[in-house]
Structure formats: C-alpha cells, structure tokens
C-alpha cells in the first residue's frame, strides 16, 4: 500500500538564488542558509533529489512539501511571498506536492489565497503560528476551496526555552497547541468546516489539554464565547500527523482525533523527524492533498 508523507520540507530554489545574491536579508555561509540570525544547513534541505530517494526508500507515491518555518517571515511583504511561491511552483512534480505560502497577516492574504487556489499547482497551504485574530476573510477562502492547511509551529518568544533545546522539544508542541486553541475557541472548525486543517507533531499539546478546554467552556470562564461545537467534536474536524515518537501518545491521538484523521508525517529531513513512514497512515493523504484547482466565487 503506497501513500504520501504530508510533512516534509525543502528550501525553494528561488530562495537559495536570492541568498546567493544577498537579497531579502539572506546569505549563504559554510553550507548553511543564514536567515534572521539563524542557520539552516543546506544539504538535503536544498536537494529535491534526496527527498525523491526518501520517497523511494519508504515505498511512497510522493511527499507533500512546505518551506521550513524559518522562512515564513510574516513581517515581510508580497515580494517575499511571491519569491517563495515561485520556488515552490518549480519544485512541484507528480511526486512532490507543494503547499503555498501566504502573507498571512497582510490584508492582501485572502486575495493571494484565492489566486493561488485557482492555479492548479498547489495542494493547499502551510501556515505558521502567529496570532490568528482577524483572519476570517482568509478562512472563508480556504473553506470555499476545501484547502488542506498544514499548521506548523514557528519559533516561541519564551526565552526560558533557550536551554536544553527546549525551543523545539517543548516550544514547538506548545506553539501548535496555541494555534489549535485559537482556532477552536474562535469556532473556526464549526464556522468553516471545509478547511482541512492538519496539525504537525501530533497536534503538539492539543490532545492532552482538550478536556481542560471543555471544562473552561462548561464553567463559562472569562473570554470564552459560545461555540457551535463541543471541543471533542471540533477536534474531530482536524487532521494531525503521527510524529510523536510514543506509542501511548499515538493511542491518545487516535481517540482524540479519530483513527482516520492521523496521517503519516516524517518532518524530513530534520533530525527530530521519523526514520520511517507508516504505510497505513500514509494511504489517506493522497486524496486530501491533490492540487487545488478551484476558483473562488466573488
């Protein structure tokens, strides 16, 4: 049984070219892409052929590609977004499906999303975890085209996470939980049921705190507005990848989100990713991540 890995990363070739030219604050140094003070080792991240080898080794049909979160850079404008998306277009092949980048916090984001959805190139969108306040116009577009929408954590601002690699070990699961909570408590799954949200890293802390969220609703805690769905039902509208490295947590994901909602995601080629893909959990992703080809109605 073949299938798809929904969580892999590549640096778009247009971004690499810009770095070699010293544009957009990027540079290349000692085999790494230098971006906003951080470093991304190029090697496999800049090598689509290496990802194709991974696909063959895992006996998959293909992989779904998004940019590494260091490249979200929501403070930059439309030129940055177009540079990234042009590189993703160049990466797209029958075996590599690509998720578009959005200027998520820009008023132009809904129009950009609508245009990208109609191209027939992108299989959905990859979003980071900034504030989601005021994004109903974006959700309306993604709902109309029933977009596969990968939620990938960005960097946490908590300086306590600077030691022990906690920025990844704890910060990433926390950031995904914040994103999921923002969607649930804004009633996004209830109001925009067509969006196929997929939370990376098993949804981070989401499954572990879902009961606490419902308790907060039941006790009418401050700031919580009425929702159309209870938390348990809202979470069944999400997909998650299976990148949790723990069988007991996998059982929790199955109970929380549903067995058909847990997809194979490796986080290739990062070291915190998995070494192999579950054939059973990779099969469902093929239909979910077909390239979008729907115009948004005015």
């Amino acid at each position: 049984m073949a299938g798809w890995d929904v969580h892999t990363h590549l640096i778009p070739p247009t971004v690499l070219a810009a770095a070699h030219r010293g544009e957009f604050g990027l540079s290349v140094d000692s085999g790494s892409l230098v971006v906003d003070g951080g470093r991304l080792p190029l090697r496999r991240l800049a090598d689509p052929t290496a990802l194709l080898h991974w696909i063959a080794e895992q006996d998959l049909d293909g992989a779904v590609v998004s940019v590494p979160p260091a490249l979200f850079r929501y403070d930059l404008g439309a030129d940055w977004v177009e540079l990234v998306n042009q590189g993703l277009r160049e990466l797209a092949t029958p075996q590599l499906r690509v998720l578009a980048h959005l200027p998520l916090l820009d008023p132009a984001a809904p129009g950009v999303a609508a245009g990208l959805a109609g191209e027939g190139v992108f299989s959905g969108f990859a979003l980071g975890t900034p504030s989601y306040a005021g994004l109903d116009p974006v959700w309306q577009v993604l709902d109309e085209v029933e977009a596969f929408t990968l939620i990938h954590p960005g960097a946490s601002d908590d300086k306590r996470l600077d030691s022990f690699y906690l920025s990844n070990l704890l910060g990433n699961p926390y950031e995904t939980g914040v994103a999921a909570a923002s969607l649930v408590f804004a009633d996004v799954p209830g109001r925009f049921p067509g969006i196929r949200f997929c939370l990376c890293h098993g949804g981070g802390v989401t499954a572990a705190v879902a009961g606490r969220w419902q308790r907060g609703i039941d006790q009418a805690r401050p700031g919580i507005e009425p929702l159309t769905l209870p938390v348990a039902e809202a979470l069944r509208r999400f997909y998650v990848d299976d990148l949790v490295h723990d069988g007991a947590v996998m059982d929790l994901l199955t109970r929380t989100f549903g067995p058909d909602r847990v997809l194979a995601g490796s986080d290739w080629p990062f070291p915190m990713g998995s070494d192999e893909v579950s054939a059973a959990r990779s099969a469902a992703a093929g239909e979910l991540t077909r390239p979008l080809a729907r115009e948004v109605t005015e």
Side-chain angles (χ1 to χ4, degrees):
M1 181 191 305
W4 289 78
D5 181 345
V6 300
H7 182 180
T8 71
H9 298 289
L10 285 170
I11 297 172
T14 51
V15 172
L16 288 174
H20 283 291
R21 296 191 298 266
E23 298 173 350
F24 291 99
L26 303 172
S27 62
V28 175
D29 177 64
S30 302
S32 292
L33 177 70
V34 181
V35 50
D36 298 330
R39 302 174 71 90
L40 284 174
L42 294 176
R43 299 195 297 274
R44 292 187 295 172
L45 265 178
D47 186 359
T49 301
L51 179 51
L52 293 174
H53 285 313
W54 165 257
I55 290 167
E57 289 170 2
Q58 299 297 316
D59 195 25
L60 295 168
D61 291 321
V64 181
V65 176
S66 55
V67 297
L71 299 184
F72 288 151
R73 307 181 87 193
Y74 288 122
D75 56 327
L76 299 187
D79 289 344
W80 170 253
V81 170
E82 179 51 33
L83 178 81
V84 171
N85 284 330
Q86 180 53 38
L88 289 166
R89 293 183 187 100
E90 294 172 13
L91 289 171
T93 69
Q95 287 185 289
L96 298 181
R97 295 177 177 175
V98 294
L99 300 179
H101 185 44
L102 289 177
L104 195 59
L105 306 183
D106 189 295
V112 172
L116 294 170
E119 289 187 15
V121 174
F122 296 99
S123 289
F125 301 90
L127 309 183
T129 53
S131 169
Y132 290 162
L135 290 186
D136 274 10
V138 175
W139 305 141
Q140 289 169 3
V141 174
L142 303 192
D143 179 63
E144 185 166 344
V145 300
E146 298 182 343
F148 182 81
T149 304
L150 190 76
I151 303 294
H152 195 294
S156 172
D157 294 330
D158 190 338
K159 296 303 180 185
R160 295 175 299 172
L161 303 180
D162 289 348
S163 58
F164 309 118
Y165 198 55
L166 293 181
S167 59
N168 189 304
L169 300 182
L170 186 58
N172 277 8
Y174 166 78
E175 286 291 317
T176 305
V178 171
S182 299
L183 295 170
V184 168
F185 286 104
D187 203 23
V188 173
R191 294 184 296 121
F192 302 103
I195 306 176
R196 301 170 179 184
F197 286 111
C198 180
L199 306 173
C200 286
H201 314 127
V205 302
T206 302
V209 296
R212 187 173 182 84
W213 293 355
Q214 186 60 55
R215 179 66 175 178
I217 293 170
D218 294 343
Q219 295 298 312
R221 293 295 80 203
I224 298 177
E225 300 294 333
L227 306 179
T228 60
L229 300 173
V231 171
E233 188 175 341
L235 293 183
R236 290 264 171 163
R237 301 280 178 97
F238 289 87
Y239 293 87
V240 295
D241 73 18
D242 60 358
L243 189 60
V244 293
H245 308 295
D246 188 316
V249 175
M250 274 299 308
D251 293 340
L252 177 61
L253 298 186
T254 299
R255 293 197 302 272
T256 301
F257 298 98
D260 60 335
R261 294 275 168 162
V262 184
L263 309 175
S266 70
D267 205 8
W268 185 96
F270 287 103
M272 286 299 295
S274 60
D275 298 323
E276 61 182 9
V277 172
S278 162
R281 291 190 291 272
S282 71
E287 286 297 320
L288 288 171
T289 62
R290 291 187 181 279
L292 300 170
R294 293 181 56 181
E295 299 289 343
V296 177
T297 56
E298 296 295 336

